[in-house]
Amino acid sequence: MNTMTTETIQRPILSIRGLSTQFSTPTGLLKAVQDVSLDVLPGECVGIVGESGSGKSVSFASVMGLIKPPGQIAAGEVIFDGTDLRKLTPEAMRRIRGKHIAMTMQDALTALNPAMTIEQQLLEVILAHDEDIAALSYWQQKRQARARAVEVLALVGIPSAESRLKDYPHQFSGGMRQRIMIAIALACKPRLLIADEPTTALDVTIQAQVLELIASLRRKLGMSMVLITHDLGVVAEQCDRVVVMYAGQVVESGLTAQVIGAPKHPYTQGLLQATPRVEDLSAPVRPIPGTVPNLINFPAQCHFYSRCTQRTEACLSAIALTRHADGHEVRCIRIEES
């Protein structure tokens, strides 16, 4: 019997190693992302979970090359399909961004340009990244790009797609704007989609529709996906693996069944205890006391120390992320005691 796991026989489409991103502020250096490492395998969905301020969005803005001064990527590698994106020129990175890796932002209303029609925004992406269409004559370009725009709008479930191309973002509902943003991201059929809080500000019914749409498109197009969210319920339904971040660090990662079914880090346990349980509405919801710490000039210690009910004096030292035999990774010294 072949005992090799999927992880050992598949090369990651995205491999992040030792990524650190920081911002200079008048009061000191804010280390927003610290030594983050993770992989995304072909065709899988990886959930990135944590409270606001945990470094989720900054990590993947770093992957996309979107960090601008006073921010900077201080260290690390971002390997996409064998190429270190950090070594690319801005022009070479522009050719990757949008065509091979696409990202949807948190708020569709602010991410879409209110002064441009949906057609203009879709055609801008298609003409910038589709080399086959760009090689055509001007009128052929417009015709082919417009046909692609109609195709992707229909793909994400926009009714009467062709007739709505001339509409502006404010003429669509929140759920429809989210679908349009996904359509723009998928216009050039990327191999990796980074979805940053794709259900922010949507009501529960529309959230479910958008998540089902993303899952369906991922299966249909064979994409890999990173789903950034604060909702463990969404992760449990959508993701193959989970990475839990807290205060700029990965504190736990593993298969979804491992992390959700048997969480080992006190922070992950706290997130689950703070999540209402549909199967038992009488179960108490226990919020995690306190807030994510200010990371400006933060000392070398467990970042969760001030909020942890299991802390000891040993936690005042820096804690390494430990990988266990089953592939489950945890950043906590108490795990060794169990």
Side-chain angles (χ1 to χ4, degrees), residues 10-75:
Q10 282 189 298
R11 186 179 76 172
I13 188 171
L14 177 69
S15 183
I16 301 172
R17 289 291 173 268
L19 181 66
S20 296
T21 301
Q22 58 194 28
F23 294 83
S24 297
T25 75
T27 55
L29 197 61
L30 191 157
K31 297 181 179 180
V33 176
Q34 300 177 37
D35 194 25
V36 167
S37 297
L38 61 91
D39 293 329
V40 181
L41 300 177
E44 81 167 345
C45 180
V46 176
I48 312 296
V49 183
E51 293 168 279
S52 297
S54 61
K56 308 184 302 296
S57 296
V58 174
S59 294
F60 286 90
S62 302
V63 168
M64 297 293 284
L66 299 176
I67 301 298
K68 304 300 180 186
Q72 64 170 335
I73 300 175

Side-chain angles (χ1 to χ4, degrees), residues 264-280:
K264 296 185 181 301
H265 195 280
Y267 178 62
T268 312
Q269 294 167 2
L271 288 178
L272 286 165
Q273 290 171 359
T275 303
R277 294 167 55 186
V278 176
E279 71 278 8
D280 185 6

Side-chain angles (χ1 to χ4, degrees), residues 42 63 71 88 114 117 152 157-159 162 168 175 177 192 215 235 238 240 247 255 268 289 319 325 337:
V63 168
L88 297 182
T117 66
V152 293
I158 301 294
E162 186 168 6
Y168 289 85
R177 284 194 294 265
L192 173 63
V235 167
Q238 302 288 334
D240 302 301
L255 297 174
T268 312
I319 310 298
E337 300 172 8

Side-chain angles (χ1 to χ4, degrees), residues 194-216:
I194 300 169
D196 189 355
E197 299 280 9
T199 58
T200 294
L202 300 180
D203 63 52
V204 175
T205 302
I206 303 301
Q207 283 184 26
Q209 291 175 3
V210 169
L211 290 169
E212 179 53 38
L213 169 67
I214 292 174
S216 172

Side-chain angles (χ1 to χ4, degrees), residues 235-252:
V235 167
E237 291 181 6
Q238 302 288 334
C239 300
D240 302 301
R241 289 190 298 117
V242 187
V243 176
V244 182
M245 292 190 66
Y246 182 75
Q249 295 181 327
V250 173
V251 296
E252 185 164 4

